[in-house]
Every structure is written in structure tokens, then in C-alpha cells.
Amino acid sequence: MVDSCCNLRGFKLRRCAFTLLLCTSTKLTPRLSMGNLAANEGLSVFVILVWLAINAFLFVHFYMAFLVDKWFYTRVLLGQALSWARAPAACLNFNCMLILLPVCRNLLSFMRGTIQFCSRTAARQLDRNITFHKLVAYMIAFHTAVHIVAHLFNFEYFMDAQLNRNSSLLPFILSEIGNGDNASFLNPIRSNETNPTIVMFTTIAGVTGVVITLALILIITSSMEVIRRSYFEVFWYTHHLFVLFFIGLVFHGFGRIVRGQTSASLTTNDPRLCADRFEEWGRNDSDCAVPVFAGNPPMTWKWIVGPMILYVCERLVRIYRSHQKVVITKVVMHPSKTLELQMKRKGFHMEVGQYVFIQCPSVSRLEWHPFTLTSAPEEDYFSAHIRIVGDWTQALYEACGGDKTEPQEAWKLPKIAIDGPFGTASEDVFRYQVVVLVGAGIGVTPFASILKSVWYKRIQNKDVFTKKIYFYWLCPETQAFEWFADLLQSLESQMAAKSVTDFLSYNIYLTRWKEQEAAHFWVHHEEENDPITGLKQKTLYGKPNWDSEFTGIASEHPGTKVGVFLCGPPQLGKSLEKQCLTHSEADVKFIFNKENF
Amino acid sequence: MGKIEWAMWANEQALAAGLILFTGGIVGVAGLFRGWQFAAYAVAAGLFVCLLEYPRSRRAKGTGVERKWQYGLTVCVKAFGPLTRNYYARAFLHAALCIPAGFILATVLGCVCLGIASLIYLSVSQILLQYFYILFSPCRKLVETVTRKRLFHY
């Protein structure tokens, strides 16, 4: 359907500087942001509340667990700082267990397939996996900070106990325990001729702690939105420090540095009775023996071994998928540096609104990049439109012969691997009689698939439920129009051929423009075809007046349910939701689907 | 990865390091740890690094995204001229700042993070990139509004 470069009539497009808004290629994981999450009541909020509740419970439970007698002498040295260190440690165990799960996308896909039969709302929660991953990461960073601050105090108190060498002080007496056998000690700092920094670098817990904290900090700084969106490779490769993180985490507790009184010792030395009589410990006439201490066995590995195994399986599945044969059937170079790849794979089945991860081994063995599928399920191939914005996309473009003028031989095209498709299908679009689709800028990509699919359904089956589509495309730049305008042109001509002219009504809004461009539009305003898109439907300028649009739609379709779908920024979502609420009167109902995309 | 502007990541890392240094210093001073004077230094150094690194540079290719409220700081930082504009200078500045923080445990993490940021800046400075200042132009918006009003009557 979309198989020719669109040469916009008479208007040379100036290549503007690349704005950050559009500088992602069509690598759309479904639009997730903290704002969207807040807007989605129900299941999402419930999941988050349960997660926070478990965190709070673990924190309080483990805080209290270190207030028992077993830790009495430890608390003599450390005070409350012991509990303040152990409580976030427990939460860290829990969150590090959780953090690997949302990124096992094949596992989630499998779960989605199973859940979708019961509840589409529940299935759609799985689309928010990356948001949840980020939340858990923030929680890990927070608990790490609390844990480290508490341990700074702990180290200081341990050091104090060794430095104040006065036999009338209990902390000093406690620190002297275990000097003989080097096993029953309480204070991990064994002498006063050291300092906390040296101790940190000479204990397993200290060294692993430094390694995992540094790994965490590097992962977080390279995951900032600016870095992630502009320099995906930096983000992707640095993120693999998580391997170091998890290995360090497993060994972090092996030194058994946190020590409490053994249960045997508690029978011979009851802290409540013996703490004040520490001068008498071990004497023949005393009923207080010298206390004996031991460390807890490491627990962290029990929490994270399961998810680690699942993640290893996930990576193995991705390796398997990368060996499945994918054939590029057509490569189309669109203007404005957009590459369209049409591909086929045996057994590939997609639905509208889904996305895939694409890997090109000849470009990079390690990188998988997500792209929304722009073909319809009714077509015999699947396609993705890829914007050339970074190193990987540029290399892919060259590998597919984009920089050459003559057509490429089929066998010269690079090998491709596909993982997916992922994402909950946007089938809800087909459940409404009247549909309003709003796409902002690059957010229009999933709508390519939907529009094509709706059109195919219309011409193949006369009884398709959807009778009318209102499509709004808000674009800040003329540059991004071409391949999608081509699609709309194709639809326009096909509809004219079938004399179906009132099925699709589309409106394109140019929300930003340059002064010279504006002058050109002004001059060519009266021509039959639009100067930018070449379509018969004229491009409009500025932002749409939603109030009048919704009023118009309401008056055209009384007594129907109108579905409103958005792929764009959250502020637009809020204003559309408001419009839906205000225009939903007795006979016409606007339903804003805020979970899709 | 040639086109990647590592300086963007160095900036993020240095900002995070400044925060960590600051926090470590606060803990050291609040707890009056041994060597709390180093912690006090770290508070000042951390704050300074944060203020220096908060304004995000414009990218050499493409447009950058400002951080919120960075305009005032950009003006201050710009006043120091080549001392802050050049990446060599930043690399050495961060290296020098981080050394005293390495003496006590509370601030050693900030020291290492700032050291890493310094190393990234050093690797970037090989390409002799310069820090470009994002300064918001108040004229631009006015021109757009006037154009819109003049041409399209709203």
C-alpha cells in the first residue's frame, strides 16, 4: 500500500535542526510516564499500593527484629543505627528481587497471553512494566542511601569502641571479645590501628558494597531521560553493570559482619541481667559468662536467585529468537530520513498497536531496539518505520543500502532478528461505532497500523462495527509528515475509488512553524491540494479547538458511544479527558481510553 | 559511538557526585565523625559542584533540554569564561576537588563518583569540545506570537 517515496509537490523542505521531541526514532515503548500512571486509577494504583505496603511492612518488621535481646550487645555499640541499617537491607532484598521481573519481556508476553482471556485491564498493566522497573529502581536508590548512611554511623561507632580503650567502658570490653579465637567477636573492627576506610576495603561486605553502589550510581546516571533518548548505547551498555551489581549483592553478606549473640550464649549470659555487671563476666563466681557472637548466614541469595534464573532464561529466549529466520521483503526510503522495513517471519502473528524489538547482527550483536509495527495484521508482511537518528539506525540505513542510489539485491540485505511482538493489542478501537484518534508528532506511528487495519476490515467485511473515524494529527514540524502523509494519500485515493468518502475524516495540525514556511503557506493557501502534505484535506495551523471539534462530533452522531484514543503527551491526555467528560451528555458518550499506548 | 556526546553523561555523573558528596558531608558533620573537617569541606565542595554542573550544556549537534530554573546559574557559570567552558579545566577541577574527600569514609563515595566524572570529562576533552551555553532567548517567543497573529488572525 505504501510503496513509493512521497515527493511533496513544489515545496522544498528545509532540513531544520533536529528537535529533542522527535529525536527518538520510532522506538516507542508504549507511552509511560509518572503522570500517566497517576491518571490511571484502579488496578495500577492498587499494585503500587500493595508494593509500598510490602516495603513498609518489611522495613518495620526488620527494624523491630533487631530490637530483641539477641542484638542487645550489638545495640550497646551501635544504638538504633543497627536497625536503621538492617531494615532497608531487607527492603533492598525485596526490591532487587522485583527489579529483574518487569524486564523479562518474553515472560510477560506469555503471561499477557494467558491473562488476556480473563481481563484486558489486567493484561494492560503488563504494558506498564518499564514504569514499574523505574519505580523499583528509585526505591532501591532510596534504600541504598538509608543503608549507607546508617552504616557510616555503624562504622564510626565500631571505631569509637576500639579507640576508647578504657576497661570501665562496656563497648571496649565487648570489642575485646573474640581476640583469642577470632571467631566469637562482636566488633568487626579488630584493632585500634586502623580507620573505617581501610576496614571498608578489607572486608567482603565493604568491598562488595563499594562495587555495587558504584554500579548503581553509574546505572542511574546513564539512565536519565536525556542520555537514554539521545545516546541509547551509553544507557544500554552501562546498564549491563547490573551483572556486577547482582554478583556483588549475592556476596555482600558472606562476611557475616553483622553479629549477634548466639542462642547458646544467651542462656549463659542474659543481657538484661548481665550488661551492667560486665566486669564480672567469665569469673568463677559470676553467673554471667563471656558472651559469644556469630554472624547471620547470608540471606540475599535466597531472594534473588529465582529472578536471576528467570532473567537468564529470558536472555536465552532472546538468543533463540535472534536465530529465527527473518526475511526483509522490501526496503523503502522515505524522505526525512525514515526507513521502512517490510519483513516476514514464519509463524509471526501480530495485532494492531504492538511493537517489536529489532536486532541487526551486522550492525551490533548486542543491541535490540524497539519499534512500533506500522503494518496491519491483514497484510502478509509486517513493517516498521525507523527514523535515522543515532548510530545504530544510521548503520542499519547504510546496511540496507540507503546511501546507494541503485536498488539493492535481495541477498545483499542484512540479516535481521525480531523479538516480539509485545504490547497489549489495541483492539478496543474496533469496539466503537465512532472513533476519535489523536496522535501527536511521532505518536502517530501506532495509528498507521490501526488505520490500515480498519480499512482492510471495511473492504473485506461490510459489517465492520466501526462506521466513522476522526483522526487528528498534531505535528510540530512539516518534516515528519511524509511517510504518514503518503499513507493518508493512499487511503484517500482508495476510499475515493470505492466511493467511500465519509468513512475517515482526518485533520492535520501544524503546531509550530518557521516564518519563511508560514509565508509560503499563506501564499499557497488557496490551492486545491495542501502545500505541505499534498492531500486534499488542508493542513490546519495551531492547536485544535477541541471544544468545537467534540461538539461537532456529538451533533453528528447522537446516541452513540465514541471512543477517544490518544498517543501523545500527558497534558494533551488531560485536556482530552476533560473534553470527554464535558461533552458526554445524555445521548452521546465520549469514552477516553487512557490506557492504550 | 563517535557521535555520542560523552559530556552529557559526564555532566549527569558530576551532578550526582556533587549530591553524594554533599550528603556524605552532611552526615559526617551531623554525626561529628572523626575528621569531620573533611566532611565540612565536602559539604562546600559538593554544593559548588552541584551549582557548577546544574546548567545543562547545549549539544554540539541538535538542541539541548534545559534543566528547570537553570538560567540564573548559567549566567553565573558563563561569567568564569574558559575556566568553566573548557572540558580540560572541568576535568582537572573535579579531580582536584575530589581528593580531600577521600580521607574519611563518609565522603569517599562522593570522591570516587566525582573522580569518575572527571575521567569522563578528560576523555571528552580530547576532542576539545566546548561547553555551549543554553540561554533562553526572550525575543524568539515574541516573533512567533507576532507572526501567528499577523498571518492567521487569532
Side-chain angles (χ1 to χ4, degrees):
Chain A
M1 209 156 121
V2 184
D3 62 342
S4 65
C5 281
C6 173
N7 227 333
L8 297 179
R9 286 160 248 197
F11 188 69
K12 250 196 226 46
L13 292 171
R14 262 191 319 114
R15 297 277 180 257
C16 331
F18 212 66
T19 65
L20 198 64
L21 281 172
L22 291 183
C23 88
T24 53
S25 57
T26 52
K27 42 183 162 204
L28 264 183
T29 49
R31 286 284 309 219
L32 303 162
S33 69
M34 305 298 255
N36 264 347
L37 192 67
N40 185 19
E41 62 272 344
L43 199 49
S44 283
V45 173
F46 176 72
V47 168
I48 298 298
L49 285 177
V50 167
W51 169 67
L52 285 173
I54 295 178
N55 270 289
F57 166 75
L58 283 171
F59 195 96
V60 171
H61 176 80
F62 278 84
Y63 192 96
M64 310 294 269
F66 282 83
L67 299 179
V68 299
D69 280 350
K70 178 176 175 178
W71 304 97
F72 186 92
Y73 289 121
T74 325
R75 287 201 311 281
V76 167
L77 291 185
L78 302 178
Q80 293 294 306
L82 172 69
S83 287
W84 278 106
R86 300 308 307 154
C91 292
L92 279 171
N93 284 340
F94 173 61
N95 285 299
C96 290
M97 174 185 81
L98 286 183
I99 197 149
L100 281 177
L101 299 176
V103 289
C104 295
R105 55 179 186 247
N106 284 293
L107 167 71
L108 292 180
S109 222
F110 171 73
M111 278 173 62
R112 183 182 293 114
T114 330
I115 295 177
Q116 223 162 236
F117 291 116
C118 313
S119 160
R120 290 183 58 78
T121 321
R124 248 179 253 124
Q125 297 313 311
L126 294 174
D127 287 344
R128 304 184 165 276
N129 55 337
I130 300 296
T131 307
F132 189 63
H133 180 79
K134 287 187 210 171
L135 279 177
V136 176
Y138 287 136
M139 193 58 108
I140 287 180
F142 170 72
H143 282 300
T144 304
V146 177
H147 184 74
I148 290 177
V149 168
H151 272 319
L152 286 175
F153 280 94
N154 286 342
F155 268 83
E156 193 67 18
Y157 294 152
F158 276 141
M159 201 66 228
D160 279 343
Q162 283 288 4
L163 288 177
N164 298 335
R165 300 190 86 79
N166 184 338
S167 301
S168 61
L169 292 173
L170 178 56
F172 175 60
I173 298 293
L174 287 169
S175 306
E176 290 284 277
I177 294 173
N179 271 341
D181 58 1
N182 233 9
S184 56
F185 59 89
L186 170 60
N187 191 336
I189 302 184
R190 303 306 310 142
S191 89
N192 61 340
E193 283 157 20
T194 179
N195 69 50
T197 316
I198 296 176
V199 172
M200 185 179 74
F201 283 108
T202 51
T203 48
I204 298 177
V207 171
T208 52
V210 168
V211 165
I212 62 185
T213 311
L214 276 177
L216 184 68
I217 290 168
L218 286 172
I219 287 174
I220 290 179
T221 55
S222 63
S223 305
M224 291 289 118
E225 182 107 15
V226 171
I227 311 284
R228 208 174 67 237
R229 292 219 176 274
S230 320
Y231 314 113
F232 192 77
E233 288 89 354
V234 170
F235 155 72
W236 183 239
Y237 290 122
T238 318
H239 229 71
H240 281 79
L241 284 170
F242 79 87
V243 175
L244 256 183
F245 180 88
F246 275 91
I247 293 174
L249 194 60
V250 167
F251 288 106
H252 191 55
F254 271 50
R256 305 195 188 205
I257 202 171
V258 178
R259 306 174 76 87
Q261 206 173 350
T262 59
S263 38
S265 171
L266 277 168
T267 55
T268 57
N269 182 322
D270 183 354
R272 306 225 166 259
L273 304 171
C274 297
D276 296 327
R277 290 149 50 192
F278 56 88
E279 285 105 352
E280 304 165 4
W281 287 348
R283 281 203 227 144
N284 288 345
D285 54 338
S286 158
D287 51 351
C288 294
V290 176
V292 173
F293 300 96
N296 277 350
M299 294 288 289
T300 307
W301 69 271
K302 294 180 196 168
W303 289 83
I304 62 177
V305 73
M308 278 167 81
I309 290 175
L310 280 174
Y311 189 75
V312 167
C313 291
E314 160 74 24
R315 293 304 280 252
L316 289 174
V317 167
R318 289 186 202 176
I319 292 173
Y320 167 72
R321 288 272 184 102
S322 69
H323 286 111
Q324 282 184 308
K325 199 166 159 75
V326 174
V327 171
I328 300 179
T329 54
K330 198 184 242 174
V331 176
V332 183
M333 302 297 171
H334 290 280
S336 299
K337 304 180 103 180
T338 306
L339 172 72
E340 180 189 348
L341 289 179
Q342 294 182 6
M343 297 165 275
K344 286 195 193 194
R345 189 183 83 182
K346 189 170 159 194
F348 187 86
H349 173 70
M350 67 165 280
E351 294 174 50
V352 288
Q354 291 195 303
Y355 62 98
V356 290
F357 280 78
I358 299 181
Q359 182 214 36
C360 188
S362 59
V363 169
S364 167
R365 290 207 150 273
L366 297 173
E367 294 178 42
W368 293 78
H369 293 259
F371 296 97
T372 310
L373 289 167
T374 48
S375 57
E378 288 83 6
E379 289 168 324
D380 58 353
Y381 62 88
F382 62 95
S383 71
H385 282 68
I386 300 167
R387 297 206 69 170
I388 316 294
V389 297
D391 288 347
W392 186 85
T393 40
Q394 178 68 31
L396 182 69
Y397 171 75
E398 283 158 22
C400 294
D403 43 354
K404 303 190 180 59
T405 44
E406 69 281 345
Q408 280 282 77
E409 304 284 337
W411 49 269
K412 280 196 190 146
L413 289 172
K415 195 167 95 105
I416 294 272
I418 296 287
D419 197 9
F422 302 108
T424 309
S426 319
E427 280 175 352
D428 283 353
V429 175
F430 306 123
R431 298 216 180 117
Y432 293 93
Q433 221 175 348
V434 179
V435 170
V436 174
L437 303 175
V438 181
I442 203 115
V444 82
T445 317
F447 291 121
S449 172
I450 291 178
L451 284 176
K452 281 199 244 182
S453 184
V454 168
W455 177 244
Y456 277 123
K457 284 185 160 60
R458 182 81 166 78
I459 56 178
Q460 286 165 5
N461 170 16
K462 296 283 179 206
D463 300 326
V464 69
F465 190 57
T466 311
K467 294 280 181 280
K468 177 82 183 181
I469 298 179
Y470 292 91
F471 180 63
Y472 295 88
W473 186 14
L474 283 59
C475 205
E477 277 202 328
T478 55
Q479 264 191 309
F481 275 106
E482 295 92 0
W483 70 268
F484 198 78
D486 201 24
L487 164 64
L488 288 178
Q489 238 181 352
S490 186
L491 274 175
E492 197 179 40
S493 53
Q494 287 199 15
M495 284 193 287
K498 293 224 183 282
S499 309
V500 179
T501 43
D502 59 347
F503 178 59
L504 171 69
S505 147
Y506 53 88
N507 302 282
I508 304 170
Y509 288 83
L510 182 62
T511 52
R512 260 192 248 159
W513 55 86
K514 300 235 171 348
E515 207 177 317
Q516 292 96 312
E517 290 177 357
H520 179 92
F521 305 152
W522 194 29
V523 165
H524 293 270
H525 193 61
E526 300 303 320
E527 291 185 14
E528 196 200 326
N529 285 26
D530 185 77
I532 304 170
T533 59
L535 294 163
K536 296 221 183 308
Q537 173 71 34
K538 291 297 166 61
T539 309
L540 301 151
Y541 303 100
K543 301 210 165 80
N545 184 344
W546 293 116
D547 210 28
S548 61
E549 298 290 335
F550 273 69
T551 315
I553 296 172
S555 58
E556 286 269 331
H557 303 275
T560 47
K561 271 202 198 145
V562 181
V564 178
F565 296 83
L566 167 72
C567 185
Q571 310 95 288
L572 186 53
K574 284 198 196 96
S575 66
L576 281 178
E577 203 176 357
K578 254 191 273 186
Q579 295 294 336
C580 287
L581 290 170
T582 46
H583 286 93
S584 287
E585 285 136 10
D587 55 348
V588 64
K589 290 230 171 344
F590 286 92
I591 296 157
F592 184 61
N593 290 263
K594 52 190 164 228
E595 295 171 28
N596 285 3
F597 316 126
Chain B
M1 291 202 215
K3 293 202 209 76
I4 289 173
E5 290 178 36
W6 293 95
M8 302 290 290
W9 185 28
N11 170 261
E12 298 283 341
Q13 180 68 18
L15 187 61
L19 280 169
I20 293 168
L21 205 57
F22 181 77
T23 313
I26 294 277
V27 169
V29 167
L32 275 180
F33 293 171
R34 260 173 305 278
W36 63 268
Q37 294 88 345
F38 287 109
Y41 160 81
V43 171
L47 197 60
F48 173 71
V49 168
C50 281
L51 291 174
L52 176 67
E53 295 286 346
Y54 188 75
R56 188 180 276 141
S57 141
R58 197 169 72 224
R59 289 156 31 155
K61 226 175 94 178
T63 47
V65 180
E66 295 188 339
R67 288 198 178 102
K68 274 204 173 82
W69 309 306
Q70 81 170 41
Y71 179 68
L73 277 170
T74 314
V75 170
C76 296
V77 168
K78 193 176 169 188
F80 285 92
L83 210 61
T84 48
R85 203 168 53 228
N86 191 286
Y87 286 147
Y88 264 121
R90 279 195 185 217
F92 285 117
L93 180 67
H94 288 321
L97 281 175
C98 81
I99 291 169
F103 286 99
I104 62 165
L105 186 60
T107 52
V108 82
L109 185 64
C111 164
V112 175
C113 288
L114 198 55
I116 292 175
S118 165
L119 282 173
I120 305 175
Y121 267 127
L122 193 64
S123 64
V124 175
S125 62
Q126 306 297 322
I127 322 171
L128 284 178
L129 281 177
Q130 299 272 319
Y131 179 89
F132 297 101
Y133 294 100
I134 296 183
L135 281 174
F136 174 64
S137 159
C139 296
R140 190 184 68 200
K141 245 203 156 149
L142 187 62
V143 166
E144 269 193 27
T145 323
V146 165
T147 314
R148 204 175 298 166
K149 281 199 160 91
R150 188 163 23 105
L151 284 180
F152 304 113
H153 312 294
Y154 73 95

